Every structure is written in structure tokens, then in C-alpha cells.
Amino acid sequence: MDCDGSHADLDDFVRLYVAHAILRASTSVGQRPLLASDLQPGLVVAVPRRSQRCLEWLHGPEGAPLRGRAPQLIGEVGVAGACVLVVTETSLVHYTKKARKPLSGCANAEPAESTAGTAPEQAYRRQDVDEKYWKRRYNFFSRFDEGVRMDPAAWFEVTPESIARHIADRMPYDRVVDGTCGVGGNAIQFAMTSRHVIAVDTDAQRLRDAEHNAKIYGVRERIDFVCDDFAKFAASYVGPAIDAVFLSPPWGGPSHLDSEHFSLKDVGCPDIVHLFAAAAAVAKRVVLYLPRHQDLHEIALLARRHGFAAVEVEKVFFQHPTRHLKLVMVHFTPEAVMANRSALTTQKSVGPPQRRRDPEQLAWGSGTNLLDPVPLAGLSLMHI
Ligand code: MGP
């Protein structure tokens, strides 16, 4: 299988192995959400069933799932195609505490203007910030005390530095776009491993905060900040090829955990499906940062809609205070079909950034092609 985004061989594989699963799924009654917490590392074939209304929402009223084929409708319910989910687990042991001294590898770090935000409206009063998040401030930014700027949403939205580092380690490409930059937690780490980062956000103030934070980390010059809606940015993009797009959209705040599962439809603005479509149109790799209780059937639908026959669902765990699933990352990449048998479960220690990392050292190990499959570890609806 080549990695040019065409999944013809894998399509055959999927058809061969799951045709009867689709048949059985189409006749089974109802379907529970498919949650990462129910899945062990390995291969899972997701065969989602959805109502016509839901399929239209995901695919548009004309409906074009499965590359031009209409969903098989059984009454009002359609089987919208199968997708291989390569389930991996990463356990992060993170030592992102207060950084002790300036980064040794970032001699060009520009002095940030001052401490904790400088402008009076940016200065934090500890009592204004939820205690739970305040305690985690060095987890969010190990250099917090050097003047890192946050805003009210950033306290619950920003990607903790250890996770942002891990994501960047996995995406050491020439040109990476962070389509939902916020105050820069991810963009800064991408700039440590990629040659060029484009950080997009609709909020000009958040971008200014991100730029300020990037100066603290000494990576300002490797990031272009663009104030725009990501979908518009992607539609009009004319620059050099983008290797990967990272999207960490809003999930609706901390209350997203109140519901049993998270649907991409739970957030009206921005429309996550729309953002994803824009990203998939401009890059062959898209990585989505999603809540731990995301319904993965929707991910299967999205993948099939955009021609990805396989995606990697990475369950990210924190080890402290007890091991718990923090979130899921979904890698829609041609490399997702390359399952490295020995790396489905990874434990990784992540400390504060020392220096810009060498992209050559970071390429994610490629492994066994799914066309030489390992025994299937599980299935959303039934074992095959
Ligand atoms: P969480 O799911 O709200 O759990 O956030 P919490 O309370 O940190 O869980 P605990 O059990 O570990 O205490 C987990 C991580 O998800 C956060 O650190 C953020 O990086 C990210 N996150 C949380 N929210 C609410 C959002 C969001 O709305 N958008 C994005 N992009 N990320 C979020």
C-alpha cells in the first residue's frame, strides 16, 4: 500500500473481512456509542449504523459516503460503511513542573514582556482561577511564571504541555497547521519539532497571547499567526504543501463530561465536521484532539466520508494521581494503516522542554502493514 492517500488495497481488505459484519450490523437492533474506554489496543472494525438524518448531517443532504456510494438504507437507518480503527494506548508520566531556568536549546528566546501577562487585565489573581486548574498551571505551561498568558477558556481547554509535546513528537513534519491555536500550547510544541508552523485562530487576542507565549519558549520565529476561521483559511490557502493539520476544537467546556458520550454534533460553533472537511481537503494528515468519551462510530463515518479506510485512535492516559484516560487523539493519516505490533501500547516520560528536538529522531516507528494483519483484537459490534 502506498501512502499517497489512496486506500485501494486496504479497502479490499476491509471489504473482505467485514462484509458479513456489515450484513449482521444492518439487522441488529440499535447501537450503543462506541467508546475508547471499551476498546483494548489492537484492531477494531467499526460498523456504524445511523439514522438518515444523522447521515445527512455528516455527509450532506446529497449523501456521498463510501466514496460515492449511498448508504445502505434499511428503513430510516443506514449502514454507513466500515472503518478499521487501530487502537493504541499512550501512558504519559509527566514531569512538567515549574521550569527552573531558561531553555538551554533556545538561546534566541526573546524576553517576554514581564510576568503573568503584564497588562493589568491579563494578570492572574489566584482566586479568579478554579483551584483545580491553578494547581495544574505548570502542567499547562512549565514556564508559566515567566509571564505565560491564559484566558478564561484556556484554563480548561489548553493542551497540557506533556501532551502537546507528545503530539508534536508524533508529528515532526516540515509544515504543520494548528487550526485552533488558542493561547498556543500546541503551536509552541509543534515549533520545537517542525520547520514551520501556521497557527490559526478566529480570536485576535488569543493569537496575541499565543505569540507572547511563543516568545517565552523561544520559538516565535518559527510560527506564522493567522487570524481567520480555519475553514476559510484552508479554502484560500495557496502556500507550500501542508503536511498535517491539528485540530483541537472547543468541546463545550467542562460540562461536556456531564453527558454519557460526546458527539461531534454537541458543539454548534465551530462545526467540527466542517473544520475536519476543510483540513482533509488541504492536507493528507489530520489529527483530532477529542474528549475521552467521543462516540467513535462518528469517527468511522468521518473517516469513510473522506477516504480513510483506517485511522489510529490513540488513548492518552495520565498516570497521576491514578492511571486515567485523559482524552483520545484520532490520527487520520496514511500511516495509520502501518500498525507497529510492538508499539500499540507505549509508556512515555515527558519532562520540560530542553531544546529543539531533532525531527529525524522523532519519526514515529512504522511497522507491520495491516495487509499482513495481526489477529483482530475486537470489533465494535461483534468479533469476526
Ligand atoms: P477534561 O476532559 O475536561 O477533564 O479535560 P479534566 O477535568 O481535566 O479531567 P481529569 O479527570 O484529568 O481531572 C482533559 C483535557 O482535555 C484538558 O487538559 C484539555 O487539554 C482538554 N480539554 C478540555 N476541554 C473542556 C476542552 C475543550 O473544550 N476543547 C479542547 N480542545 N480541549 C479541551
Side-chain angles (χ1 to χ4, degrees), residues 100-168:
R100 291 210 184 108
K101 54 181 182 182
L103 303 183
S104 55
C106 292
N108 55 349
E110 295 172 37
E113 284 141 31
S114 93
T115 61
T118 51
E121 68 277 13
Q122 289 280 342
Y124 304 118
R125 286 180 308 153
R126 185 178 167 166
Q127 62 268 31
D128 292 340
V129 179
D130 188 308
E131 184 66 13
K132 161 176 158 175
Y133 298 122
W134 181 256
K135 279 185 185 159
R136 297 177 179 180
R137 62 196 182 283
Y138 302 120
N139 290 348
F140 297 147
F141 286 100
S142 60
R143 305 179 71 84
F144 183 86
D145 283 351
E146 290 171 51
V148 163
R149 291 184 186 168
M150 302 280 272
D151 66 16
W155 285 101
F156 58 77
E157 262 182 19
V158 73
T159 305
E161 190 167 295
S162 56
I163 302 180
R165 272 194 74 178
H166 168 66
I167 298 170

Side-chain angles (χ1 to χ4, degrees), residues 132-133 136 140 156-160 163 248-254 256-257 289 292 318 324 326-327:
K132 161 176 158 175
Y133 298 122
R136 297 177 179 180
F140 297 147
F156 58 77
E157 262 182 19
V158 73
T159 305
I163 302 180
S248 172
W251 306 341
H256 73 282
L257 286 172
Y289 185 88
R292 59 192 116 174
F318 268 7
H324 63 289
K326 193 79 178 163
L327 49 99

Side-chain angles (χ1 to χ4, degrees), residues 23-74:
L23 203 64
R24 285 172 62 187
S26 67
T27 54
S28 63
V29 179
Q31 184 165 295
R32 287 191 306 122
L34 179 62
L35 301 183
S37 53
D38 297 332
L39 303 178
Q40 297 303 314
L43 303 190
V44 172
V45 179
V47 186
R49 298 171 66 226
R50 283 294 181 271
S51 70
Q52 176 68 354
R53 200 162 60 88
C54 173
L55 291 174
E56 283 183 2
W57 178 81
L58 275 166
H59 302 306
E62 72 288 359
L66 284 174
R67 297 226 211 116
R69 273 166 280 152
Q72 294 170 262
L73 282 175
I74 293 134

Side-chain angles (χ1 to χ4, degrees), residues 191-260:
M192 303 265 183
T193 53
S194 298
R195 287 192 177 81
H196 184 211
V197 178
I198 304 176
V200 183
D201 204 287
T202 49
D203 185 325
Q205 180 55 49
R206 299 194 100 192
L207 278 183
R208 280 193 287 276
D209 292 346
E211 185 176 357
H212 171 91
N213 295 339
K215 283 182 191 170
I216 292 174
Y217 280 77
V219 292
R220 164 65 190 90
E221 78 285 1
R222 281 192 282 272
I223 309 176
D224 282 338
F225 293 94
V226 178
C227 188
D228 203 350
D229 167 63
F230 171 74
K232 283 193 197 143
F233 162 84
S236 59
Y237 181 77
V238 287
I242 293 169
D243 297 296
V245 174
F246 174 77
L247 292 173
S248 172
W251 306 341
S255 62
H256 73 282
L257 286 172
D258 295 347
S259 56
E260 217 168 281

Side-chain angles (χ1 to χ4, degrees), residues 73-97:
L73 282 175
I74 293 134
E76 284 299 297
V77 175
V79 174
C83 176
V84 174
L85 307 180
V86 181
V87 180
T88 61
E89 283 187 3
T90 301
S91 299
L92 291 177
V93 180
H94 61 112
Y95 298 100
T96 16
K97 298 189 178 126

Side-chain angles (χ1 to χ4, degrees), residues 7 173 284-287 308 310-311 331-337:
H7 298 287
Y173 304 120
K284 64 181 178 185
R285 299 180 188 90
V286 184
V287 177
F308 295 93
V311 296
H331 303 255
F332 299 78
T333 66
E335 294 84 9
V337 299

